[in-house]
Amino acid sequence: GVERIRLGSLEPAIITDEWVSRAKGVEKLCEQFHLSLQSGSDGVLKRMRRRYTSGEYLRAARLLQDGWEDCALTTDVIAGFPGETDEEAIETEEFVREVGFAKLHVFPYSRRAGTVADKLPGQIDEKIKRDRCQRLITIGNKMRTDFVHSLTGKVKSVLFETDTGMGMARGYTKSYVPVTAESRGGALENCLITAAEGDELFGEVLKEVWQ
């Protein structure tokens, strides 16, 4: 009775050609993948003790994006990790643009006593963290808008979850973009996406004609 399977956070190292090939055989798997990043700078990734480089991450991202049409790749990015230089911050900005995410979650580095990072030199000023966060948020908002608007004119499966009144309902595509259309909560429908407004889509339910 389960119509959709949506994976949580993934590590880049598990994304291989074989993984993608097998995952594509699961029809109910949603083409939305949250792939951990944290930074697009190899220097920062090394200080974070992440187990991948930006190049390895990009390869995993491209495998997912090439494997599914309209693949929604989302991630988390931390701004202002100890020792992050202006150049490394720019590397992250350029990298997230290169990947092309459907949604970017941005957080300032939060210092926590007793952690390894707490003892690292080069703790970043709070104002610099906020500025770097805001630049990443602006980039993320643009990518989000571009992704949402790219779905207009296409037919997408929408699982409607909430009745919004006047015969309308709101639900989500498999790439986790909200859609409002004439339907009812609990219905799984194919919808022609007719318009986009900000982070929202609007559509028309396609009724199948049986011969």
Side-chain angles (χ1 to χ4, degrees), residues 32-87:
Q32 181 223 344
F33 304 98
H34 190 81
L35 193 63
S36 302
L37 176 59
Q38 309 307 332
S39 175
S41 165
D42 284 334
V44 176
L45 289 172
K46 186 175 181 179
R47 292 196 295 277
M48 287 179 169
R49 300 186 177 180
R50 305 299 290 186
R51 298 178 181 177
Y52 52 84
T53 64
S54 60
E56 290 167 341
Y57 184 98
L58 184 60
R59 181 180 183 279
R62 292 292 184 254
L63 283 173
L64 293 171
Q65 291 169 325
D66 293 343
W68 284 268
E69 182 182 2
D70 299 321
C71 174
L73 201 61
T74 65
T75 200
D76 300 320
V77 178
I78 295 175
F81 190 79
E84 183 184 62
T85 64
D86 290 340
E87 291 76 16

Side-chain angles (χ1 to χ4, degrees), residues 40-158:
S41 165
D42 284 334
V44 176
L45 289 172
K46 186 175 181 179
R47 292 196 295 277
M48 287 179 169
R49 300 186 177 180
R50 305 299 290 186
R51 298 178 181 177
Y52 52 84
T53 64
S54 60
E56 290 167 341
Y57 184 98
L58 184 60
R59 181 180 183 279
R62 292 292 184 254
L63 283 173
L64 293 171
Q65 291 169 325
D66 293 343
W68 284 268
E69 182 182 2
D70 299 321
C71 174
L73 201 61
T74 65
T75 200
D76 300 320
V77 178
I78 295 175
F81 190 79
E84 183 184 62
T85 64
D86 290 340
E87 291 76 16
E88 288 172 332
I90 291 171
E91 285 176 4
T92 293
E93 293 174 16
E94 293 175 345
F95 186 74
V96 297
R97 286 193 187 98
E98 182 180 6
V99 174
F101 291 98
K103 195 165 189 177
L104 200 63
H105 302 274
V106 181
F107 305 93
Y109 165 72
S110 179
R111 192 170 186 176
R112 295 182 182 178
T115 62
V116 173
D118 179 54
K119 300 175 183 177
L120 291 176
Q123 299 290 330
I124 307 298
D125 180 80
E126 293 299 322
K127 182 181 183 303
I128 294 175
K129 289 182 193 177
R130 289 195 298 271
D131 289 345
R132 291 177 182 175
C133 275
Q134 189 53 58
R135 291 205 303 270
L136 286 166
I137 289 170
T138 299
I139 294 168
N141 288 343
K142 173 65 164 56
M143 289 191 294
R144 179 62 176 172
T145 298
D146 288 347
F147 180 77
V148 170
H149 283 244
S150 75
L151 301 180
T152 56
K154 298 181 178 181
V155 175
K156 292 295 174 183
S157 170
V158 179

